Amino acid sequence: MFSTDDSIVAIATPPGRGGIGIVRISGARSLEIAAQVTGRSQPLEPRRATFTRIRAIDEVVATYFPAPHSYTGEHVVEISAHGSPVVLRAIVASAIAAGARLAEPGEFTLRAFLNGKRDLIQAEAVADLIEASTPVQARVAFDQLEGTLTERIAAIDGDLFDLIARLEASLDFPDEGYHFIEPSEAARRITSLVAWFDDLLTGARAGRLIREGATVVVAGRPNVGKSSLFNRLAGADRAIVTPVAGTTRDLVSERVDIEGLAVTLVDTAGWRETHDVVEREGVARSKQAREVADLLVVVLDRSESIRTEDEELLAQTTGRPRIVVANKSDLLDAGAGFGDVGAGFSRLEGVEVSAKTGAGVDDLRRAIVRELTGRESLRDAAAISNTRHITLLEQARANLVAASESAAASAPEEFILADLQAARARLDEVVGARTSDDLLQHIFERFCIGK
Ligand SMILES: Nc1nc2c(ncn2[C@@H]2O[C@H](COP(=O)(O)OP(=O)(O)OP(=O)(O)O)[C@@H](O)[C@H]2O)c(=O)[nH]1
Ligand SMILES: [Mg+2]
């Protein structure tokens, strides 16, 4: 299904206009195709940027990367032109006339994988790096691109392979009365492999959140300052703020970077019974938003006593991941702590902030990261972030636990071996040593054309 016989071409830079735009050609015939496109009789020299003209189109710089030392592992020519969609499309058309085919989404990176330039983890990391919207997301993707996760998996795979080989040898030569590995030693090694998986999977929750981001919904009764806090966290005057209760009617959402987490922050209509048709719809939507939230920020007004609506909302959200925020702390006498003023606050644990002055908002940002990821900070970014990898590693861990139980019960070696081999197959799937066309298609269709 995935043919690498033909040469492919695509615009590699984003749609739109820019100083430079790049057309990439990859495949056995890319040098010939480039020669036809540029009309040069002299072939391009390897890895040398060459200024040339494409007749009636543009002045360009062309660079030839001979196989296997290129992005795809094939012969690649990159043509840098002026970043005009018209110019770039004309170059692509001319390459197609010279025998190239328009690349499918992700096909350059797919070829890099098929040609052994990158494993599957690294190919997926390319897409993650391109899509990263916070520096932490980019760091995690870059680490995977560099092979950090690949190395950790290779290390465990090596151990697993050695263990399997010894157990198989014991099975193949039973008459010698000699174990290539003592059962107790096998049990010990399986246990340490399980510990290794635990170590890697500890960071999985944080990693998944870093990669996929989270939805944080701001809720509370009217006028407590939800929109003011939303604007403060978004760093922009996004939502309307007025002293009128019931200002926000619709959901307002904004992508924000909270300490490195890509958060979709949602402001909602204030929670109350109302006869206003528009507001009622707003309240209904705010309830729906609360249901899909990864985390709720329940805002109270610290300068007033807790009201029935606050109580209702607190009751409705107990048991959900939430942070209670006491806003308008600037209205309190200096020095008054959470629980000192306003009836009903003393039994609540929360973060005191002032959306007006910004006081306490950094604490709130840290509390959001802590609630979502279970970590104080994301600086020691997680090694593992992709749900596909996490699921497979969890399955491999379960296989090893089964193997260790068999070993502890002195079960026949065949049983232990079957589980160890199953664990190894999962690791192969993570790095892509074992794949199906369906899986590859699923992974690479996430890419845009030109990657
Ligand atoms: N002093 C003080 N006033 C605040 C603070 N936060 C919000 N306010 C004021 O409280 C009023 C309501 O603020 P909003 O942000 O519109 O409140 P809301 O919760 O979004 O209200 P609805 O959209 O009506 O549900 C406005 O007059 C704000 O200026 C604060 O931290 N301190
Ligand atoms: Mg509002």
Side-chain angles (χ1 to χ4, degrees):
M1 163 181 166
F2 300 114
S3 151
T4 53
D5 300 340
D6 44 4
S7 297
I8 53 174
V9 64
I11 301 172
T13 38
R17 294 166 206 283
I20 293 175
I22 296 176
V23 172
R24 184 153 59 177
I25 307 167
S26 179
R29 289 192 56 242
S30 57
L31 200 56
E32 271 171 62
I33 292 167
Q36 263 182 264
V37 169
T38 57
R40 279 168 58 91
S41 48
Q42 240 178 320
L44 292 165
E45 279 176 58
R47 283 178 298 281
R48 191 188 188 94
T50 306
F51 178 81
T52 182
R53 279 187 181 74
I54 299 181
R55 211 162 63 84
I57 298 181
D58 197 4
E59 294 173 336
V60 302
V61 172
T63 317
Y64 166 44
F65 303 92
H69 303 294
S70 69
Y71 183 77
T72 57
E74 303 172 334
H75 294 306
V76 167
V77 175
E78 284 183 8
I79 299 175
S80 303
H82 291 104
S84 148
V86 181
V87 167
L88 297 174
R89 279 200 294 264
I91 296 173
V92 168
S94 149
I96 290 172
R101 162 172 74 73
L102 191 63
E104 300 287 335
E107 199 171 2
F108 290 95
T109 310
L110 172 67
R111 287 189 172 197
F113 167 72
L114 293 173
N115 292 321
K117 293 293 285 187
R118 298 184 185 286
D119 67 15
L120 205 50
I121 294 175
Q122 292 169 320
E124 290 171 294
V126 170
D128 286 356
L129 186 58
I130 291 171
E131 275 167 29
S133 62
T134 77
V136 174
Q137 277 182 325
R139 250 272 307 291
V140 172
F142 180 65
D143 280 352
Q144 288 173 10
L145 185 58
E146 289 260 274
T148 333
L149 181 56
T150 305
E151 276 167 29
R152 289 180 74 173
I153 289 177
I156 194 165
D157 191 51
D159 260 25
L160 201 49
F161 178 75
D162 181 68
L163 191 56
I164 289 173
R166 282 165 196 273
L167 286 168
E168 278 176 346
S170 300
L171 273 183
D172 290 348
F173 307 101
D175 298 337
E176 263 99 298
Y178 169 79
H179 279 289
F180 286 82
I181 182 161
E182 288 301 323
S184 62
E185 169 69 2
R188 195 192 57 74
R189 283 177 62 178
I190 297 170
T191 311
S192 69
L193 285 170
V194 172
W196 184 94
F197 273 95
D198 287 340
D199 194 35
L200 188 61
L201 287 164
T202 329
R205 179 160 78 114
R208 190 185 323 210
L209 274 160
I210 290 171
R211 178 168 181 265
E212 292 173 5
T215 302
V216 175
V217 171
V218 184
R221 71 169 158 83
N223 238 14
V224 290
K226 296 179 296 302
S227 301
S228 307
L229 189 59
F230 172 89
N231 288 344
R232 185 53 89 167
L233 288 169
D237 252 342
R238 204 38 195 88
I240 300 172
V241 169
T242 74
V244 180
T247 301
T248 306
R249 301 298 183 87
D250 224 334
L251 301 177
V252 183
S253 77
E254 186 76 13
R255 295 272 288 178
V256 290
D257 175 349
I258 297 188
E259 310 265 303
L261 269 192
V263 166
T264 303
L265 192 65
V266 184
D267 183 22
T268 62
W271 168 252
R272 68 171 171 189
E273 293 289 335
T274 170
H275 297 295
D276 182 305
V277 189
V278 182
E279 193 180 352
R280 230 181 15 225
E281 179 59 27
V283 172
R285 285 181 188 207
S286 108
K287 190 147 184 284
Q288 286 163 2
R290 291 208 313 263
E291 272 152 24
V292 302
D294 296 302
L295 176 69
L296 298 169
V297 171
V298 179
V299 184
L300 306 172
D301 184 336
R302 189 66 180 81
S303 68
E304 295 178 356
S305 304
I306 293 202
R307 297 192 198 166
T308 322
E309 286 103 338
D310 297 320
E311 295 285 9
E312 277 172 10
L313 201 62
L314 287 168
Q316 284 172 26
T317 56
T318 17
R320 295 283 312 274
R322 74 167 186 204
I323 298 174
V324 177
V325 170
N327 187 35
K328 309 198 187 179
S329 64
D330 57 288
L331 295 177
L332 300 177
D333 292 334
F338 204 82
D340 292 338
V341 184
F345 278 92
S346 53
R347 64 185 165 79
L348 291 168
E349 242 182 74
V351 185
E352 200 156 285
V353 306
S354 165
K356 187 176 173 187
T357 67
V361 174
D362 279 343
D363 290 339
L364 175 59
R365 286 196 183 93
R366 282 190 289 273
I368 290 174
V369 170
R370 203 183 314 121
E371 278 299 316
L372 283 169
T373 66
R375 291 180 173 210
E376 283 302 313
S377 124
L378 298 175
R379 250 169 309 177
D380 311 309
I384 174 167
S385 60
N386 184 316
T387 312
R388 189 182 76 83
H389 307 159
I390 295 170
T391 310
L392 286 167
L393 291 175
E394 279 169 351
Q395 288 168 350
R397 184 189 176 281
N399 293 138
L400 285 177
V401 169
S404 110
E405 281 162 4
S406 303
S410 307
E413 271 139 345
E414 284 94 335
F415 283 9
I416 305 176
L417 263 173
D419 283 322
L420 295 180
Q421 272 151 352
R424 218 171 155 234
R426 309 285 190 216
L427 294 185
D428 282 353
E429 275 183 68
V430 176
V431 295
R434 189 186 294 237
T435 56
S436 63
D437 281 0
D438 281 354
L439 173 68
L440 292 183
Q441 183 147 25
H442 176 73
I443 288 175
F444 287 96
E445 67 193 10
R446 263 183 70 208
F447 285 65
C448 302
I449 290 177
K451 288 181 195 157

